[in-house]
């Protein structure tokens, strides 16, 4: 609820990494690992901003942030085929008005 993200290992109650205030205090409403690239995850905050984290590029801050200005995004999920090396990774955004958008992620964050 405060924008903090913690990376846990299943065998420990203590986080391996913790990023406080990663969204400048905005609650995180969805977070998902990339299906095609294990070091990348995406976080959606309550102000419809999407943060892209690539832990191989930078493990302190997100490598990109995109704000969806037109309509409030209420949730997101990712789609892709991890068994294929084509690097296609899509992001499905559900908006408050009921509209669904599908956007493709840049290959640099999608390729295995």
């Amino acid at each position: 609820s405060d924008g903090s993200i913690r990376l846990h290992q299943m065998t420990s109650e203590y986080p391996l990494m913790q990023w406080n205030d990663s969204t400048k205090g905005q609650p995180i409403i969805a977070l998902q690992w990339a299906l095609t690239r294990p070091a990348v995850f995406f976080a959606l905050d309550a102000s419809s901003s999407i943060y892209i984290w690539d832990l191989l590029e930078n493990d302190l801050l997100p490598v990109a942030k995109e704000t969806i200005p037109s309509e409030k995004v209420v949730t997101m999920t990712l789609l892709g085929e991890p068994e294929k090396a084509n690097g296609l990774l899509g992001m499905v955004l559900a908006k408050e008005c009921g509209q669904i958008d599908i956007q493709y992620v840049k290959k640099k964050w999608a390729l295995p």
Side-chain angles (χ1 to χ4, degrees):
S1 65
D2 64 358
S4 296
I5 298 173
R6 292 180 229 13
L7 176 64
H8 283 268
Q9 184 174 336
M10 296 297 288
T11 58
S12 174
E13 65 182 283
Y14 302 104
L16 296 172
M17 297 280 295
Q18 182 167 329
W19 299 276
N20 294 321
D21 198 33
S22 63
T23 60
K24 307 227 182 318
Q26 286 292 321
I28 296 172
I29 56 175
L31 189 139
Q32 188 172 352
W33 286 101
L35 302 171
T36 57
R37 188 174 171 96
V40 175
F41 66 90
F42 298 79
L44 170 68
D45 74 13
S47 68
S48 299
S49 292
I50 298 167
Y51 300 82
I52 303 171
W53 293 77
D54 183 344
L55 300 179
L56 296 178
E57 187 178 325
N58 187 342
D59 64 358
L60 299 176
L61 299 168
V63 294
K65 175 186 173 187
E66 184 71 33
T67 300
I68 310 299
S70 58
E71 178 80 30
K72 183 176 178 173
V73 178
V74 293
T75 193
M76 75 165 184
T77 192
L78 300 176
L79 50 93
E81 297 177 290
E83 63 278 357
K84 292 188 178 178
N86 61 10
L88 283 179
L89 180 64
M91 181 181 301
V92 181
L93 305 172
K95 297 183 176 184
E96 193 172 52
C97 66
Q99 182 182 8
I100 302 289
D101 283 349
I102 299 175
Q103 299 182 10
Y104 286 98
V105 175
K106 288 183 180 180
K107 288 216 183 254
K108 69 179 183 178
W109 296 312
L111 285 173

